[in-house]
């Protein structure tokens, strides 16, 4: 049975909850849902004006970061549950954002300090927001950091603290951020070429279904000590995503496609341009590899064990935008 984030948040009524990474896109929505459900929400942010994101809701904000262990212990003494969404956000002009060593400092060392503080304070529930990139952590520093943090979270699980991790497939549903939003804008402006069928398979998840999964994982006893992969259960290809976006924008889907050899040539030129300008090119070898490679994940465990049932798939969400 489908369960909305709003209905699940009722389980946190009158409970003190800490959300790290609260100013991120998923974090903003999670904070709003928990507060609307009656939770006493605490956030940790480096931004002094972070509470202005939620003007109609009462949020307790702490200014600081995951390196301040004394602050973490103080916050954890005041909460019963933690949703740990914080991660390193590379600058837009970072030419290799997934290889930045700051991922290790923020995701690995930060999670270790937060877990230690939670254990000292007697926090009852700890849910870590991870990524499907952690499944094969060898592919990037970002993936290795997420994988290492997952391991620490699961090691902390036990009778005293319910601890679990949620691996999210690439998330869509945001108006401007994320790969799907960027693709929609590029197609709208006629700047996204008709790509060929790469025979790839990939998974996605809507942000509200990601939040559904985070809440279920915190609530359900069966989740203790588990890592769950979360998708919208559909299997897509890059070409199908392109086709669905064209249809949602009332644009004809071209019957032709750009040859793969031409895309590879453009990607090689993008690599050269990137070295000259010092920031990511519109297309490069890394982006083409992501576009053409499969990234499909089995998310059956969380459905079977926790009753997760996605509300959205990409087609229905795109259709809702037209309404």
């Amino acid at each position: 049975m489908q369960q909305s984030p709003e209905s699940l948040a009722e389980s946190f009524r009158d409970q003190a909850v800490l959300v790290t990474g609260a100013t991120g896109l998923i974090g903003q929505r999670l904070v709003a849902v928990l507060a609307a459900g009656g939770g006493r929400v605490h956030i940790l942010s480096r931004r002094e004006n972070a509470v202005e994101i939620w003007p109609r809701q009462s949020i307790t904000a702490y200014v600081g970061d995951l390196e301040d262990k004394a602050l973490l212990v103080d916050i954890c003494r005041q909460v019963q549950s933690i949703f740990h969404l914080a991660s390193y956000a590379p600058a837009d002009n970072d030419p290799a954002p997934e290889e930045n060593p700051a991922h290790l400092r923020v995701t690995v060392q930060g999670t270790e300090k937060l877990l230690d503080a939670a254990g000292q304070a007697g926090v009852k529930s700890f849910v870590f927001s991870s990524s499907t990139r952690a499944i094969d952590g060898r592919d990037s520093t970002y993936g290795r950091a997420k994988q290492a943090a997952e391991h620490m979270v699961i090691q902390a699980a036990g009778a005293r603290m319910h601890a679990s991790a949620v691996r999210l497939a690439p998330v869509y549903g945001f108006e401007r951020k994320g790969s799907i939003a960027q693709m929609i804008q590029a197609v709208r402006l006629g700047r996204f070429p008709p790509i060929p069928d790469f025979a790839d398979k990939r998974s996605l998840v809507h942000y509200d279904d990601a939040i559904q999964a985070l809440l279920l994982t915190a609530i359900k006893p069966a989740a203790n000590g588990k890592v769950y992969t979360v998708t919208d259960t559909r299997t897509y290809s890059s070409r199908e995503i392109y086709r669905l976006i064209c249809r949602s924008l009332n644009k004809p889907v071209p019957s032709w496609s750009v040859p793969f050899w031409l895309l590879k040539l453009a990607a090689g030129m993008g690599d050269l341009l990137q070295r000259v300008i010092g920031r990511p090119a519109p297309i490069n070898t890394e982006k083409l590899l992501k576009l053409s490679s499969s990234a499909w994940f089995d998310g059956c465990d969380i459905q079977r064990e926790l009753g997760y049932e996605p509300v959205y798939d990409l087609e229905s969400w795109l259709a809702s935008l037209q309404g």
Side-chain angles (χ1 to χ4, degrees):
M1 182 180 70
Q2 291 177 339
Q3 302 174 81
S4 69
E6 290 80 6
S7 63
L8 291 170
E10 292 288 332
S11 297
F12 295 88
R13 182 172 294 279
D14 297 324
Q15 185 178 138
V17 183
L18 170 64
V19 179
T20 72
T23 58
L25 294 173
I26 297 176
Q28 289 183 38
R29 173 68 171 145
L30 177 60
V31 168
V33 167
L34 287 167
R40 292 182 285 115
V41 183
H42 301 243
I43 68 168
L44 173 64
S45 175
R46 290 179 297 175
R47 292 172 50 179
E48 293 190 3
N49 61 344
V51 292
E52 295 176 6
I53 295 173
W54 307 274
R56 295 186 178 88
Q57 293 165 313
S58 178
I59 309 295
T60 301
Y62 300 87
V63 179
D65 57 35
L66 295 172
E67 296 187 23
D68 189 340
K69 188 164 185 180
L71 176 61
L72 295 181
V73 172
D74 182 53
I75 298 171
C76 288
R77 285 175 179 155
Q78 302 176 58
V79 303
Q80 289 82 55
S81 296
I82 294 174
F83 290 94
H84 180 31
L85 279 64
S87 62
Y88 174 69
D92 290 340
N93 63 352
D94 190 332
E98 295 200 357
E99 298 301 337
N100 197 306
H103 289 299
L104 298 174
R105 174 175 52 81
V106 176
T107 300
V108 181
Q109 296 174 21
T111 299
E112 182 178 29
K113 290 176 182 177
L114 184 59
L115 279 169
D116 286 346
Q120 288 182 41
V123 169
K124 301 301 182 185
S125 175
F126 190 109
V127 176
F128 174 58
S129 178
S130 187
S131 164
T132 48
R133 299 298 299 275
I135 294 174
D136 184 3
R138 296 169 298 177
D139 70 345
S140 65
T141 302
Y142 171 80
R144 288 193 297 275
K146 287 291 190 182
Q147 189 180 75
E150 283 181 4
H151 181 72
M152 289 188 292
V153 170
I154 300 311
Q155 289 292 105
R160 294 183 61 188
M161 184 164 68
H162 172 111
S164 49
V166 172
R167 289 173 172 163
L168 300 177
V171 180
Y172 64 89
F174 307 117
E175 185 177 350
R176 293 185 179 87
K177 296 287 188 178
S179 58
I180 296 298
Q182 292 170 3
M183 191 171 177
I184 291 171
Q185 181 67 357
V187 172
R188 178 183 287 116
L189 297 175
R191 296 175 181 171
F192 200 98
I195 56 176
D197 184 355
F198 300 114
D200 58 314
K201 294 169 61 180
R202 55 188 62 248
S203 298
L204 300 170
V205 66
H206 187 274
Y207 67 80
D208 261 2
D209 291 322
I211 291 171
Q212 178 195 163
L214 289 165
L215 294 172
L216 281 170
T217 306
I219 293 166
K220 299 287 188 177
N224 192 22
K226 300 284 187 66
V227 179
Y228 291 107
T229 298
V230 181
T231 78
D232 66 11
T233 73
R234 282 279 303 270
T235 300
Y236 304 94
S237 68
S238 293
R239 176 71 183 185
E240 182 187 9
I241 293 170
Y242 173 77
R243 178 179 59 81
L244 290 173
I245 291 173
C246 285
R247 283 175 48 190
S248 73
L249 297 173
N250 294 315
K251 287 180 171 288
V253 181
S255 58
W256 60 280
S257 61
V258 177
F260 186 59
W261 67 264
L262 188 56
L263 289 173
K264 288 183 68 175
L265 178 62
M269 294 175 64
D271 292 341
L272 293 174
L273 176 63
Q274 192 168 282
R275 295 190 190 102
V276 173
I277 64 177
R279 60 178 183 272
I283 183 170
N284 56 33
T285 299
E286 182 182 1
K287 291 178 180 179
L288 179 57
L289 183 62
K290 286 183 179 180
L291 188 65
S292 59
S293 300
S294 289
W296 179 88
F297 309 98
D298 184 349
C300 291
D301 285 355
I302 192 169
Q303 291 182 277
R304 182 177 62 253
E305 297 179 15
L306 306 187
Y308 165 80
E309 189 67 33
V311 175
Y312 293 96
D313 60 27
L314 183 62
E315 186 170 12
S316 65
W317 173 69
L318 288 170
S320 72
L321 299 182
Q322 294 178 302

